[in-house]
Amino acid sequence: MRSVRARAALGATLVVALALAAAGLAVLLVLRANLTDQAGLQAEVAAREVAGQLALGVPYDRLETGDEEDHPVQVTDEDGRVVAVSKDLEAVSGTGTDRVTRAPAPTPSPTPSPTAEDGDDDDDDDGTDGPDPARGEVSTDDPDFANGTATVDGDRADYRFASVEATNAAGLTLTVHAGAPLAAEQRAVGSVRGAMLTGLPVVLLVVAGVTWLVTRRALRPVEGIRREMAAITASEDLSRRVPEPGSHDEVARLARTTNETLTALEASVERQRRFVADASHELRSPIASLRTQLEVGAAHPELLDVTGAVADTVRLQALAADLLLLARLDAGERPGTALLELGALVREEVSQRTGDRIPVTVSVPEEAGGLEVTGSRTQLARVVGNLLDNAERHARSAVRVAVRAEGGGVAVEVTDDGDGVAEAERERIFERFVRLDDARTRDEGGAGLGLALARDVAVRHGGRLTVTGAGERGARFTLWLPDAR
């Protein structure tokens, strides 16, 4: 039962078995009811034939009851006494009385029927309520039916009995019980039941076998996907892909989704490897420079470049902080839900920049209290600082910062009058460890993480960071964040 094929075959077999059992039971019940009704109709015809003879005044001992074996007959009077039975009837049940011997009573002789002048319009002479069949007539009411048995000439069998009332010419109400055999009904029901019990196991075996084969064929691509995934896991080769069947069913969609996942995983792993390699390369330069300066200082204290050592240490500290923040962002760290006034944050960040080469011009509207966003104050301050660092590095004479409401959010624009960014490179500069000016020294150009980090923070705050041209020359970086409201 650990196999999907086995469970599917068992489930289908059980469902079909229940359905066939229910259908077979319904067929048997309907068949039995129809055959029983036919037997009842035959019994009613036989009973009415005998009742008609009684209504015509035929004496009891001269009644024609037909084939006694097919239609055993028993006639009783109002007191339940047996007044007539068919020939060779030895025992009977289901008619209300099991006596088959005629009671010692004289055969009534025909008498004229009473007329309306006798005052017997509504009630019988015995004072009983309710209309009886008219004298010399057979009741037109529906007969009563019952199942019973009868023994005719030593053979006992089941019968369907119909009871019909009739009044003879003497005004005596008689009840004729005539039966019809149920042997045909029993044989038919038994044959159908036997055929069902014989065919049911065969049908269930066919259903189980077909389900097993169909499920096996349907799951064959899944097994291929599993084997290929196991091979990929063992080889650690993420460039491999699972086979995609040519069908358009769920298995094909599973294979396509698996390959898309492998592609994303391969890109993630490759990005992580490149990040580690680039980070190691970037860290190696300031560490090597700092070590060289310290070794020279240890050997020749008078040659120790304290300023350079401090600069390398600061650069190394900044690079380590950037790498740590990027790692936290990649791990899915949430930005937080603190309410921040973006204009005040920009003013505070600019006021702390005392060593800038070019003074920063800040433009914040007077209604800055409405420019509120939610997020991490530290991370957003880091974004503004990185954008200002980038502008200071490339500007010639001016760096401007403007805060304004825009499109259901708040926009921060940082503009410089440098050489700008070529349109073809405006997305590439947001990649990690990318520096467009390859001839620029590392000290001047940084590690290439500032803009990448800024865009990651913006995206995780539900915003965006883009770059465009600023007039004839220069670049304009726009940070947009959704309004806190």
Side-chain angles (χ1 to χ4, degrees):
M1 290 300 101
R2 295 181 179 180
S3 170
V4 174
R5 287 177 295 173
R7 291 198 297 269
L10 179 60
T13 303
L14 290 177
V15 170
V16 173
L18 292 175
L20 290 179
L25 180 61
V27 169
L28 290 177
L29 293 177
V30 172
L31 178 62
R32 174 174 291 175
N34 289 337
L35 293 177
T36 301
D37 290 343
Q38 291 181 8
L41 180 60
Q42 296 174 7
E44 181 183 359
V45 171
R48 290 191 180 278
E49 288 180 356
V50 175
Q53 297 178 45
L54 293 173
L56 293 175
V58 177
Y60 301 143
D61 54 356
R62 295 182 182 180
L63 291 174
E64 295 291 338
T65 59
D67 190 345
E68 292 83 0
E69 185 175 355
D70 287 340
H71 301 294
V73 176
Q74 180 191 58
V75 181
T76 60
D77 60 10
E78 296 172 346
D79 298 327
R81 293 177 302 179
V82 177
V83 297
V85 293
S86 59
K87 183 181 179 181
D88 297 329
L89 179 62
E90 300 174 358
V92 67
S93 66
T95 61
T97 177
D98 55 0
R99 292 188 297 274
V100 293
T101 303
R102 291 178 55 185
T107 302
S109 59
T111 59
S113 301
T115 62
E117 297 177 353
D118 297 333
D120 193 20
D121 295 335
D122 298 323
D123 297 332
D124 295 333
D125 293 337
D126 56 4
T128 57
D129 296 334
D132 287 333
R135 294 179 178 178
E137 294 184 1
V138 178
S139 173
T140 58
D141 295 338
D142 292 335
D144 295 329
F145 293 98
N147 291 338
T149 61
T151 303
V152 180
D153 196 16
D155 295 330
R156 186 174 183 273
D158 295 326
Y159 288 85
R160 179 74 167 173
F161 287 98
S163 301
V164 177
E165 291 186 351
T167 302
N168 59 15
L172 181 63
T173 300
L174 302 172
T175 302
V176 180
H177 306 281
L182 293 175
E185 176 264 340
Q186 294 173 348
R187 286 194 300 270
V189 172
S191 299
V192 173
R193 182 172 56 244
M196 288 182 176
L197 293 178
T198 302
L200 181 61
V202 178
V203 174
L204 294 182
L205 286 177
V206 172
V207 170
V210 172
T211 305
W212 177 273
L213 294 176
V214 171
T215 307
R216 179 182 179 183
R217 181 179 181 85
L219 294 179
R220 187 177 299 166
V222 177
E223 179 62 21
I225 294 173
R226 187 202 64 78
R227 287 197 300 266
E228 186 62 24
M229 287 296 294
I232 292 173
T233 303
S235 65
E236 298 184 358
D237 182 8
L238 296 178
S239 63
R240 299 173 60 174
R241 298 293 181 266
V242 300
E244 295 186 14
S247 59
H248 299 282
D249 54 10
E250 293 82 354
V251 177
R253 292 196 293 271
L254 171 64
R256 286 193 292 270
T257 302
T258 302
N259 284 334
E260 292 171 359
T261 302
L262 289 173
T263 301
L265 182 60
E266 181 185 14
S268 176
V269 171
E270 181 61 28
R271 185 169 59 252
Q272 189 69 18
R273 290 174 179 172
R274 187 167 61 249
F275 176 78
V276 172
D278 291 341
S280 301
H281 182 72
E282 293 294 335
L283 288 171
R284 183 171 54 187
S285 295
I287 291 176
S289 175
L290 182 60
R291 178 180 178 180
T292 300
Q293 295 180 50
L294 293 176
E295 289 176 348
V296 171
H300 305 280
E302 70 280 1
L303 299 179
L304 178 61
D305 184 7
V306 177
T307 304
V310 171
D312 285 338
T313 303
V314 171
R315 182 168 179 266
L316 187 61
Q317 182 182 10
L319 180 58
D322 288 343
L323 292 176
L324 178 60
L325 180 55
L326 284 174
R328 286 160 49 191
L329 293 176
D330 289 342
E333 181 180 284
R334 296 185 178 275
T337 58
L339 190 63
L340 305 173
E341 200 281 293
L342 207 53
L345 186 146
V346 169
R347 288 197 190 97
E348 180 181 352
E349 186 66 23
V350 172
S351 65
Q352 295 176 358
R353 302 176 64 86
T354 57
D356 284 343
R357 178 174 60 90
I358 300 174
V360 179
T361 303
V362 180
S363 174
V364 179
E366 295 181 358
E367 63 276 9
L371 305 178
E372 293 180 335
V373 298
T374 57
S376 171
R377 182 180 187 85
T378 303
Q379 293 183 11
L380 292 179
R382 189 67 170 276
V383 172
V384 174
N386 287 353
L387 294 179
L388 291 175
D389 289 341
N390 182 75
E392 288 284 343
R393 187 179 298 119
H394 297 90
R396 295 181 180 178
S397 60
V399 175
R400 296 182 297 274
V401 180
V403 182
R404 69 176 188 276
E406 178 183 297
V410 182
V412 179
E413 287 187 352
V414 179
T415 307
D416 65 73
D417 60 351
D419 294 332
V421 182
E423 187 172 354
E425 303 289 346
R426 287 178 181 175
E427 283 300 315
R428 184 168 173 264
I429 61 173
F430 293 107
E431 298 178 6
R432 298 176 182 181
F433 300 105
V434 170
R435 287 184 296 270
L436 299 183
D437 188 0
D438 294 332
R440 189 174 54 205
T441 66
R442 295 186 183 275
D443 290 340
E444 295 176 351
L449 290 177
L451 294 179
L453 190 149
R455 170 166 277 190
D456 283 352
V457 171
V459 171
R460 281 168 173 76
H461 279 73
R464 58 180 179 269
L465 177 61
T466 58
V467 59
T468 57
E472 295 181 358
R473 64 180 185 179
R476 177 182 292 110
F477 286 82
T478 304
L479 169 67
W480 182 88
L481 297 173
D483 194 290
R485 295 166 295 181

